[in-house]
Amino acid sequence: MTENHTCRRNVPDVDITGLVQEDRVHSTLYSDPTIFQAELDKVFNNTWVWVGHESEVPDTGSYKTAHIGKQPVIVSRDRKGEIHVLLNRCRHRAATVCEGKRGKTRSFVCPYHGWGYALDGELRAIPKADEYDGVLEKQDFPLVRVRHETYNGMIFATLKADMIPLTDFLGGAKKWMDLFMKQGGGYPIKVLGDHRFRFPGNWKIQLENTTDAYHFPVVHKSFVSSLDAQTSQVFDFLDGDGFVEDLGNGHSVMVMIPELVDLEDNLDAPIPDRFKDFAAELAKEGKDEAEIKRLVRAVGGSGFNLNLFPNVACSMAFFRVLRPISVEETEIHHVAIGGDGAPAAFNQLRMRLHEHFQGPMGFGTPDDAEAWERVQKGSYAGPDEWILVNRGQSKLKTSADGNVAGAVCSETGMRAAYRKYLAMMTA
């Protein structure tokens, strides 16, 4: 049984009505600790938050830890194969019962007083249980179960008792999630590895970034310079046919490379020169031409970034998860993905491509992180305290799905996120 608690802890009374306008937001949103505390409750505690992918808990006893805002949770799979999301807090004196990022276990045991919990959260063991005779019944004190639902392998959890079903919340984003999951090359998506880092800036700065193509040729010059001529042309997309589309509920998609939107289209196209060695390696493994072309087309990832409000992006070829730490600190979790059962050469190349851009020594993420830090620093300067999100506002159109859309370098996705943010913060 899931205990649906909307947690409200010292929620400050703030009014941000005048701080979020259709074409700009006030820099106070980056730096006011009172607003940050209100966000934890009004946003993160009151919506669906991504906590993991099913491949991260593949077997009985598998677990991973995650957060809903600042609240720690455990995602586990029990002996019946069912997934659970549990608040990571002993019911006795509140210590966390699991500190590992992921692994396998038979149970969760509090390190403070030894209370033991099953994989589904049931309280199974209490040292010196006779001292609780007449004052405590074990069945009344399981780990708190959090409501969760899954879409296409992605696990979301919510602390809001009456939150709408996940499929309704995702709405127009489901189409793009389905497209994103095709990059397994015919194999199910599987998490291959991950890394985390923190930057000294507000979480909304990162939320903006994944739907911002405008910065790419400026911030990522070093990445583009590291590419061969053919690949660098692929990433020269600002004047192309890409677009940003508002998908509702704060979600948006930024299509940078339209020809890579559906990785199951155009499978008869010639193999690009940059992937010919990879194709040859697949042939040595005995793969036929049809599968080789499918894997080659999928290995580089999709041609779009999908922002799912408030904390996760399906970003071309990986998951990017944000976690608010404080008003001026955010943790970023980059999750590399490949194909479950796919040829070793496929997953190895996926990892190498991930390292090239997203890795700690890569050509992309370190530059992004410096830009985010500079935004935080600069937001304190001068009398003009507004952050502009009006690019492309006068050139909007209607997408094929009937949604508001703008050019690939427009700030349509940022406006979509802030519209949802304002609605939640003023609810």
Side-chain angles (χ1 to χ4, degrees):
M1 181 177 181
T2 300
E3 299 182 27
N4 289 320
H5 297 299
T6 299
C7 301
R8 306 185 63 84
R9 299 182 179 178
N10 302 318
V11 182
D13 185 15
V14 298
D15 182 6
I16 68 155
T17 305
L19 302 180
V20 180
Q21 300 181 18
E22 185 61 23
D23 65 342
R24 65 193 63 198
V25 297
H26 201 270
S27 58
T28 305
L29 298 182
Y30 293 166
S31 56
D32 188 326
T34 304
I35 292 176
F36 177 79
Q37 289 301 321
E39 290 168 350
L40 294 176
D41 176 74
K42 294 188 175 185
V43 176
F44 287 91
N45 289 353
N46 278 282
T47 191
W48 288 106
V49 174
W50 189 86
V51 294
H53 187 266
E54 287 183 329
S55 67
E56 296 181 273
V57 286
D59 309 309
T60 294
S62 297
Y63 73 86
K64 69 162 291 189
T65 52
H67 286 80
I68 299 175
K70 293 190 73 173
Q71 299 193 50
V73 298
I74 306 166
V75 183
S76 65
R77 192 180 290 271
D78 69 15
R79 289 174 172 80
K80 297 178 181 178
E82 295 180 359
I83 292 176
H84 302 270
V85 180
L86 312 165
L87 288 187
N88 192 358
R89 170 193 170 106
C90 181
R91 297 297 300 275
H92 175 219
R93 298 283 287 282
T96 58
V97 300
C98 182
E99 282 294 312
K101 290 181 180 179
R102 68 181 51 78
K104 294 192 73 172
T105 186
R106 294 181 178 181
S107 62
F108 302 108
V109 180
C110 176
Y112 197 6
H113 298 98
W115 283 32
Y117 299 88
L119 295 167
D120 62 359
E122 288 295 325
L123 177 59
R124 294 290 176 83
I126 301 178
K128 296 188 69 65
D130 57 304
E131 294 294 325
Y132 285 105
D133 287 348
V135 296
L136 183 148
E137 297 294 335
K138 285 194 295 186
Q139 65 267 24
D140 296 334
F141 288 89
L143 296 177
V144 174
R145 299 181 178 98
V146 179
R147 177 184 167 194
H148 69 281
E149 294 179 18
T150 302
Y151 183 81
N152 210 333
M154 298 183 75
I155 308 168
F156 295 79
T158 182
L159 296 166
K160 185 178 181 181
D162 58 350
M163 186 61 193
I164 62 175
L166 176 63
T167 53
D168 293 345
F169 171 72
L170 293 174
K174 297 196 298 292
K175 162 188 169 180
W176 296 95
M177 293 172 73
D178 293 343
L179 288 167
F180 188 81
M181 296 303 175
K182 290 185 178 184
Q183 62 188 279
Y187 295 86
I189 288 294
K190 176 184 178 180
V191 169
L192 300 178
D194 65 280
H195 56 95
R196 306 166 193 240
F197 65 96
R198 296 185 182 188
F199 74 93
N202 189 270
W203 66 275
K204 294 182 292 298
I205 295 172
Q206 204 295 296
L207 183 72
E208 298 162 4
N209 175 263
T210 314
T211 186
D212 179 1
Y214 191 33
H215 78 281
F216 199 92
V218 179
V219 174
H220 297 308
K221 285 182 180 179
S222 60
F223 169 70
V224 174
S225 69
S226 73
L227 303 174
D228 60 79
Q230 185 184 51
T231 310
S232 63
Q233 288 180 358
V234 172
F235 284 93
D236 184 15
F237 49 72
L238 282 195
D239 295 319
D241 296 327
F243 57 91
V244 182
E245 184 175 339
D246 180 347
L247 301 175
N249 280 334
H251 316 314
S252 64
V253 65
M254 179 175 70
V255 175
M256 294 162 284
I257 311 171
E259 59 268 27
L260 293 179
V261 164
D262 191 336
L263 296 174
E264 293 181 354
D265 280 349
N266 200 25
L267 291 176
D268 291 329
I271 292 173
D273 289 343
R274 65 187 185 278
F275 291 133
K276 284 187 175 177
D277 288 345
F278 169 57
E281 193 169 351
L282 292 174
K284 288 180 182 178
E285 292 188 28
K287 302 302 178 183
D288 61 30
E289 183 180 0
E291 183 168 5
I292 289 172
K293 287 193 170 184
R294 179 180 294 274
L295 289 166
V296 166
R297 182 154 170 80
V299 73
S302 63
F304 60 87
N305 287 354
L306 172 64
N307 247 18
L308 299 176
F309 187 88
N311 79 317
V312 66
C314 299
S315 183
M316 293 194 76
F318 69 108
F319 299 138
R320 174 184 274 170
V321 189
L322 67 84
R323 173 189 164 202
I325 302 298
S326 71
V327 68
E328 295 179 328
E329 186 175 22
T330 304
E331 182 174 279
I332 302 298
H333 185 196
H334 281 170
V335 183
I337 54 178
D340 189 1
F346 177 83
N347 286 335
Q348 287 170 1
L349 183 53
R350 293 278 301 187
M351 287 298 293
R352 299 296 83 79
L353 294 173
H354 182 89
E355 291 164 353
H356 187 184
F357 189 92
Q358 284 83 31
M361 299 297 290
F363 286 89
T365 292
D367 290 338
D368 270 333
E370 181 175 348
W372 305 335
E373 180 178 354
R374 288 189 177 199
V375 171
Q376 185 72 31
K377 288 180 179 178
S379 68
Y380 294 109
D384 181 5
E385 299 179 329
W386 290 98
I387 308 294
L388 297 180
V389 292
N390 59 349
R391 185 170 173 82
Q393 195 174 22
S394 66
K395 298 183 178 181
L396 299 174
K397 55 188 177 181
T398 301
S399 73
D401 292 328
N403 299 320
V404 173
V408 68
C409 60
S410 71
E411 291 163 344
T412 304
M414 297 178 205
R415 293 191 292 272
Y418 276 116
R419 202 173 296 121
K420 179 65 173 178
Y421 170 85
L422 177 62
M424 296 189 75
M425 289 291 287
T426 55

